[in-house]
Amino acid sequence: QRHFGAFRAPPEMLRAAVASKPWPPWLQREMRSNWAGETGAVAIYRGCQAALPRVQCGEARAALEAFAAEHVEAEEAHLAAVAAVVAAPSERSWMPATSFGWVL
């Protein structure tokens, strides 16, 4: 059995990352990309959850529901950690990443 939701970023690690600012430009770009990627990943799995009622086979729907639930949990934990470090709007991507999951 797989468990993806076990990721936790210790608060002291997040505080150290924030304290290391200002970051060099290359790291600013990487962290902006990390935030966008995690935001998009959460949206993808939430979109998957929203589409579950369309799956006709109950067994397949249950398997997909379990898959999406554990991935949403993991991606939300990743996003929370990145968002704690990449907190200012100017540090985040301008892209509306939250809508990506619904488009896919």
Side-chain angles (χ1 to χ4, degrees), residues 51-67:
L52 286 171
R54 297 175 180 251
V55 178
Q56 299 298 313
C57 175
E59 186 177 326
R61 185 173 47 255
L64 287 169
E65 185 173 14
F67 174 86

Side-chain angles (χ1 to χ4, degrees), residues 16-50:
V18 171
S20 71
K21 293 178 183 181
W23 294 324
W26 68 267
L27 184 55
Q28 291 174 13
R29 290 188 301 270
E30 289 293 322
M31 294 305 289
R32 182 176 293 118
S33 177
N34 288 342
W35 177 83
E38 296 300 342
T39 302
V42 168
I44 287 169
Y45 291 113
R46 286 183 182 163
C48 179
Q49 288 175 319

Side-chain angles (χ1 to χ4, degrees), residues 1 4-6 24-25 34 39 47 57-58 68 72-73 82-84 86 96-97 101 104:
Q1 186 175 17
F4 292 96
N34 288 342
T39 302
C57 175
V72 163
E73 182 181 351
V82 172
V86 183
L104 295 175

Side-chain angles (χ1 to χ4, degrees), residues 71-84:
H71 282 74
V72 163
E73 182 181 351
E75 297 304 339
E76 286 177 340
H78 299 161
L79 178 57
V82 172

